[in-house]
Amino acid sequence: MERLILCFFAIIAVISCTFIRPKKPYSFASCPFPNGTDTAMHIYNCDGDYAITTSGAQVFIGNTTQTMYPIDPRKPMTLALTAYNKGVQINDNKANVTIFEYQDDWATKQCKWNSVPTFGLLNGIDGCDYAHNCPLTTGPLTLRLPLDLSGFSAIINLLAANVPYQLHIEIFNYNSGSNDGMIACVVAQVRFEETN
């Protein structure tokens, strides 16, 4: 039994060393911020014909009208979205989020987006409960979504400051109680930085 327990902890240690990288300090030799993300968030819709498309986004400090950029994921914020729903009203939705870090590839020395392991913790996020975005009515949408990312501190603590990140967000229709297909796909390229 003791050998089994020691073996289990050894496997966990190997997996942790393989996937979890310590925060690295920002270096001027690292990859530059792409698409102006050093000073502003860059968003775009994924390729494909989705019911909901986003045309603009801003992040505000808490419940104020003061913009937050770079984004401090440790603080409460409000995400303001301008979008359009050409489909049916969405009364229930879930989101999957994938995080990428912009860094140089050790083999090619070229800067590229590399996936950050989240171990499924950002899959199946309930949009109605978490982002308070229900219902998503048909037509133009102007949404103010209060966000508190403290529940994702295990992932946030892995992210280095002053590094470009890309959030790939897929939103699914759950009107029937199960997945009825993807209704939106948005990519946000941002800069995270902890502030006082």
Side-chain angles (χ1 to χ4, degrees):
M1 181 67 171
E2 290 178 5
R3 286 184 182 172
L4 183 62
I5 292 171
L6 288 173
C7 181
F8 174 75
F9 282 115
I11 291 170
I12 295 297
V14 168
I15 290 171
S16 297
C17 291
T18 303
F19 292 112
I20 300 175
R21 297 170 285 120
K23 289 184 186 179
K24 58 185 177 192
Y26 180 74
S27 164
F28 287 106
S30 65
C31 294
F33 284 87
N35 303 316
T37 50
D38 54 332
T39 58
M41 177 171 39
H42 176 69
I43 68 160
Y44 60 92
N45 296 289
C46 306
D47 290 337
D49 186 27
Y50 300 106
I52 299 176
T53 54
T54 301
S55 58
Q58 282 187 295
V59 178
F60 297 101
I61 297 172
N63 196 19
T64 71
T65 56
Q66 182 180 355
T67 57
M68 176 194 287
Y69 202 85
I71 296 170
D72 186 345
R74 292 164 178 82
K75 294 189 175 178
M77 64 189 83
T78 299
L79 175 62
L81 282 178
T82 306
Y84 191 86
N85 181 2
K86 67 179 182 181
V88 299
Q89 177 170 303
I90 304 299
N91 297 313
D92 192 9
N93 67 84
K94 295 195 186 321
N96 294 341
V97 180
T98 308
I99 301 177
F100 298 87
E101 181 178 2
Y102 196 63
Q103 60 187 185
D104 62 334
D105 182 85
W106 65 272
T108 65
K109 302 299 180 203
Q110 299 293 315
C111 293
K112 68 175 195 169
W113 294 106
N114 296 290
S115 179
V116 174
T118 58
F119 308 103
L121 294 174
L122 299 179
N123 290 342
I125 299 169
D126 190 309
C128 296
D129 289 344
Y130 178 73
H132 314 289
N133 65 4
C134 293
L136 295 169
T137 57
T138 299
L141 297 168
T142 303
L143 305 170
R144 283 187 62 87
L145 311 172
L147 301 176
D148 182 353
L149 302 178
S150 61
F152 303 105
S153 60
I155 295 167
I156 291 169
N157 290 335
L158 294 176
L159 304 178
N162 289 314
V163 175
Y165 285 98
Q166 177 173 281
L167 308 175
H168 181 97
I169 305 158
E170 298 175 338
I171 302 173
F172 298 88
N173 178 354
Y174 272 73
N175 278 354
S176 67
S178 62
N179 186 347
D180 291 331
M182 193 183 313
I183 54 171
C185 181
V186 179
V187 175
Q189 295 174 346
V190 299
R191 174 181 172 186
F192 290 132
E193 184 177 296
E194 188 173 359
T195 58
N196 295 330

